[in-house]
């Protein structure tokens, strides 16, 4: 049991070392990208640093599979180089127990990823996006003058900009009849969200289309029953990857119920599960990687592991983008890479042990 705990501690130290190497590297690339916008609007260098810092939890989640691979290789590789693995095996700790200890450390890494994914990373990333958008004078994530669009079976709405969670400007509503014909067009200078489904429109121009022609009217205010809740609007202004799993599941169901395209959100949801499986796959892959090349220098193992990590990352991105373009099953697209690596790792483990 003491040796088992010792291996877990060494692997956890390996995770910390890998994180200390990879996270600042990815953060530096993010910072370089943000510095290109420094000087635009009120966005300054300090804002670029703050934005990059708030994205760190999201970056950690994204690099967790690489942390698992490099961290386990670092830990077991050091034990192998110092002949500690041989001593452990002589003391009665089997390769299977060493592997199980590595997986136990991987489970702790996964626990931290799950907590960050649900409670920390989405909130910080969304704050970072809003902060940057306000500084650069952008309209949410859709760009200036494009606005926020949504629809259900009988309505299409465009919101020019959300000033805050319950105040909108530049609201345009198209209402359709049961036959699919345009029944009315509403244009409001602003809107106040009174309740979950009640909006008060201000400075309104309405046009009603009938078989007898078009009638128009100007109103100071008009109450409108909306199919969009405030939470739905906040979600529409966020990229799918910035949402927590629960938010993604709820928004995917909302888009499906209102007849909208939800493929990108469903893929983002399944990719979060795929990332968890990929982390497990990388831990499994690193074990035979070390045991299968016990005489190879640690530096060579790390270089080879880094190349494998980069190749897997690029392949995962290519498959995800191809899946959206080719309209492939999102479950297959999200889980196929990690399941493939788990199968390869299992076959390799059987061969080594």
């Amino acid at each position: 049991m003491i040796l088992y705990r010792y291996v877990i501690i060494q692997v956890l130290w390996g995770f910390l070392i890998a994180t200390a190497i990879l996270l600042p590297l990815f953060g530096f690339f993010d910072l370089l990208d943000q510095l290109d916008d420094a000087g635009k609007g009120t966005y300054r260098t300090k804002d670029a640093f703050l934005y990059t810092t708030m994205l760190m939890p999201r970056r950690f989640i994204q690099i967790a599979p690489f942390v698992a691979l490099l961290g386990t290789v670092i830990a077991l590789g050091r034990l192998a180089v110092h002949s500690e693995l041989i001593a452990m095996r002589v003391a009665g700790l089997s390769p299977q127990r060493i592997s199980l200890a590595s997986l136990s450390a991987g489970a702790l890494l996964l626990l931290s990823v799950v907590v960050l994914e649900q409670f920390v990373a989405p909130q910080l990333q969304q704050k970072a996006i809003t902060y940057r958008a306000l500084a650069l004078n952008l309209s949410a994530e859709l760009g200036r003058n494009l606005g926020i669009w949504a629809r259900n079976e009988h309505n299409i709405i465009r919101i020019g900009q959300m000033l805050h969670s319950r105040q909108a400007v530049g609201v345009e509503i198209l209402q359709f009849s049961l036959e699919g014909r345009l029944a009315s067009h509403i244009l409001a200078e602003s809107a106040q969200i009174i309740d979950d489904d009640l909006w008060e429109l201000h400075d309104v121009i309405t046009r009603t289309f009938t078989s007898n022609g078009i009638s128009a009217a100007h109103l100071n205010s008009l109450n409108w029953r909306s199919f969009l809740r405030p939470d739905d609007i906040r979600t529409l202004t966020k990229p799918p990857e910035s949402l927590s799993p629960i938010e993604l599941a709820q928004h995917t169901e909302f888009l499906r119920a209102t007849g909208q395209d939800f493929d990108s959100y469903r893929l983002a949801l399944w990719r979060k599960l795929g990332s968890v499986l990929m982390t497990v796959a990388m831990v499994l892959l690193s074990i035979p990687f070390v045991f299968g090349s016990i005489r190879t220098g640690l530096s060579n193992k790390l270089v080879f592991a880094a190349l494998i990590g980069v190749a897997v990352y690029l392949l995962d991105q290519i498959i995800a983008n191809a899946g959206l373009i080719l309209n492939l099953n999102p479950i297959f697209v999200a889980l196929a890479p990690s399941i493939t690596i788990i199968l390869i790792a299992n076959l390799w483990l059987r061969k080594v042990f």
Side-chain angles (χ1 to χ4, degrees), residues 149-182:
W149 292 80
R151 70 177 176 88
N152 65 1
E153 291 182 0
H154 304 299
N155 298 275
I156 296 177
I157 183 172
R158 186 188 71 84
I159 303 171
Q161 188 178 10
M162 293 298 299
L163 297 182
H164 54 76
S165 61
R166 291 186 176 270
Q167 181 71 41
V169 295
V171 178
E172 188 173 5
I173 304 164
L174 300 174
Q175 297 179 318
F176 295 86
S177 66
L178 294 176
E179 294 77 22
R181 297 193 180 99
L182 182 62

Side-chain angles (χ1 to χ4, degrees), residues 76-336:
L76 297 185
R78 289 176 61 198
L79 294 177
V81 168
H82 295 104
S83 301
E84 291 182 76
L85 283 183
I86 295 176
M88 290 179 187
R89 295 178 69 172
V90 171
L93 192 65
S94 67
Q96 289 78 11
R97 290 280 291 171
I98 295 173
S99 303
L100 187 59
S102 300
L103 286 173
S104 299
L108 294 175
L109 175 64
L110 282 179
L111 179 61
S112 67
V113 167
V114 170
V115 172
L116 288 174
E117 183 67 84
Q118 182 59 46
F119 301 107
V120 180
Q123 290 81 354
L124 282 178
Q125 185 176 1
Q126 291 157 18
K127 287 181 180 179
I129 291 171
T130 302
Y131 179 81
R132 181 177 181 274
L134 290 174
L136 293 174
N137 194 26
L138 300 174
S139 175
E141 280 296 291
L142 301 180
R144 186 181 298 182
N145 298 326
L146 294 180
I148 304 162
W149 292 80
R151 70 177 176 88
N152 65 1
E153 291 182 0
H154 304 299
N155 298 275
I156 296 177
I157 183 172
R158 186 188 71 84
I159 303 171
Q161 188 178 10
M162 293 298 299
L163 297 182
H164 54 76
S165 61
R166 291 186 176 270
Q167 181 71 41
V169 295
V171 178
E172 188 173 5
I173 304 164
L174 300 174
Q175 297 179 318
F176 295 86
S177 66
L178 294 176
E179 294 77 22
R181 297 193 180 99
L182 182 62
S184 66
H185 175 263
I186 301 173
L187 183 63
E189 285 293 322
S190 63
Q192 183 74 29
I193 301 177
I194 306 300
D195 203 350
D196 278 353
D197 63 346
L198 179 61
W199 292 26
E200 185 177 10
L201 307 179
H202 301 283
D203 196 5
V204 185
I205 297 175
T206 64
R207 294 180 178 87
T208 305
F209 301 88
T210 65
S211 57
N212 297 324
I214 303 174
S215 59
H218 182 274
L219 305 172
N220 291 327
S221 65
L222 174 68
N223 288 338
W224 178 65
R225 289 291 175 181
S226 172
F227 61 92
L228 282 178
R229 299 171 300 172
D231 288 344
D232 296 326
I233 297 173
R234 285 192 290 269
T235 303
L236 284 169
T237 64
K238 305 167 187 172
E241 68 274 6
S242 73
L243 302 177
S244 69
I246 292 177
E247 287 177 323
L248 268 176
Q250 292 174 341
H251 191 60
T252 299
E253 176 58 26
F254 164 75
L255 293 176
R256 187 200 62 78
T258 55
Q260 301 180 67
D261 181 24
F262 58 91
D263 286 346
S264 61
Y265 288 88
R266 185 170 61 168
L267 178 59
L269 177 61
W270 281 103
R271 289 196 72 191
K272 290 184 184 294
L273 177 58
S275 178
V276 171
L277 288 179
M278 184 63 75
T279 303
V280 174
M282 288 300 193
V283 174
L284 284 173
L285 187 65
S286 63
I287 296 168
F289 186 84
V290 174
F291 280 97
S293 54
I294 200 83
R295 296 180 181 178
T296 306
L298 179 57
S299 59
N300 292 335
K301 295 175 185 177
L302 290 175
V303 171
F304 192 29
L307 291 175
I308 291 176
V310 171
V312 170
Y313 175 79
L314 292 176
L315 181 63
D316 185 53
Q317 295 296 315
I318 291 171
I319 292 175
N321 292 326
L324 280 177
I325 294 172
L326 301 176
N327 199 27
L328 300 177
N329 187 302
I331 300 176
F332 170 79
V333 170
L335 304 185

Side-chain angles (χ1 to χ4, degrees), residues 28-96:
F28 178 70
F29 292 144
D30 285 334
L31 180 61
L32 288 180
D33 183 53
Q34 292 306 308
L35 287 176
D36 289 339
D37 291 327
K40 299 177 182 177
T42 60
Y43 198 67
R44 299 293 181 261
T45 301
K46 64 179 181 65
D47 300 315
F49 275 94
L50 180 59
Y51 178 86
T52 302
T53 302
M54 287 192 287
L55 282 188
M56 284 297 182
R58 172 61 59 198
R59 290 292 172 255
F60 175 75
I61 292 170
Q62 291 173 341
I63 66 172
F66 305 101
V67 168
L69 176 63
L70 289 179
T72 309
V73 171
I74 289 171
L76 297 185
R78 289 176 61 198
L79 294 177
V81 168
H82 295 104
S83 301
E84 291 182 76
L85 283 183
I86 295 176
M88 290 179 187
R89 295 178 69 172
V90 171
L93 192 65
S94 67
Q96 289 78 11

